[in-house]
Structures are given as structure tokens and as C-alpha cells.
């Protein structure tokens, strides 16, 4: 994978977003937007695939639990914002692995 493919962009965006939260620097809107865009790009690219790349799967597995755990580092509205982001990222991850519908495919 190159550094410009969707999976690499997603992994880099995830690292940037997660590190900002984990280090106590707060919610990085730019990093979040880049991560959401990268997840949408991966969902589009993977729509017809039967499997996702290993690096992509690694990121998808970590998105919700790591973001939710980071919310505990904050309080009040900041913690609420991080938890909202965790659920939004979880939904975007779901789009990345959604089964396409068609003959012989579960709905």
C-alpha cells in the first residue's frame, strides 16, 4: 500500500485523531473530518470486495473502543463530544464492512 491509498490515509487520519485525544490535546476537528472522509473513501472502495485489507480491519476494530476510552480523559461537554464521535465513527466503520445486497446475499 502506498501512503496515498485510502487505507493508508485512513490509518494516518486515525493515528492523528487518536493521538490528539489520548495526549489530552482535545478534539481535533480537522483530524476528525479527515478520518470521516477517509472512512467514507474506504467504504466506497471496499463496497464490492469480499474482504478488507488487514490494516483497514485493524483500524476499524479500534475506532469505537479507543475513542470511547479517550472520552474518560475529558469531562462534561468535551466527554460528550468524544462519545458522539465514537458512535459516528462506529457507524462509518459499519459502512466500510456492510454486505452488498443482491442475489444470494443476506439482507
Amino acid at each position: 500500500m502506498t501512503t496515498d491509498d485510502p487505507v493508508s490515509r485512513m490509518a494516518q487520519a486515525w493515528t492523528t485523531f487518536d493521538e490528539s485525544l489520548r495526549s489530552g490535546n482535545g478534539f481535533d476537528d480537522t483530524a476528525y473530518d479527515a478520518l470521516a472522509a477517509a472512512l467514507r473513501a474506504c467504504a466506497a472502495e471496499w463496497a464490492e470486495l469480499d474482504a478488507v485489507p488487514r490494516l483497514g480491519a485493524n483500524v476499524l476494530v479500534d475506532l469505537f473502543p479507543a475513542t470511547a476510552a479517550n472520552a474518560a480523559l475529558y469531562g462534561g461537554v468535551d466527554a460528550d463530544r468524544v462519545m458522539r464521535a465514537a458512535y459516528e465513527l462506529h457507524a462509518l466503520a459499519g459502512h466500510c464492512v456492510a454486505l452488498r445486497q443482491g442475489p444470494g446475499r443476506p439482507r
Side-chain angles (χ1 to χ4, degrees):
M1 277 173 235
T2 67
T3 57
D4 195 35
D5 69 292
V7 178
S8 295
R9 285 193 306 270
M10 178 182 63
Q12 182 58 50
W14 164 240
T15 298
T16 302
F17 178 70
D18 181 55
E19 284 179 356
S20 178
L21 290 175
R22 197 168 13 99
S23 66
N25 290 331
F27 194 98
D28 182 333
D29 287 301
T30 302
Y32 177 80
D33 292 343
L35 177 56
L39 286 164
R40 287 185 193 97
C42 285
E45 182 167 294
W46 299 343
E48 298 301 317
L49 299 180
D50 289 326
V52 300
R54 183 174 288 171
L55 176 59
N58 185 278
V59 171
L60 295 178
V61 167
D62 286 343
L63 283 174
F64 183 83
T67 304
N70 284 329
L73 301 173
Y74 300 91
V77 296
D78 292 331
D80 292 343
R81 183 176 189 200
V82 174
M83 280 307 300
R84 264 193 320 277
Y87 282 104
E88 290 167 1
L89 293 172
H90 179 72
L92 289 169
H95 292 293
C96 288
V97 297
L99 295 175
R100 61 185 183 266
Q101 298 199 4
R105 293 282 190 180
R107 294 183 193 259

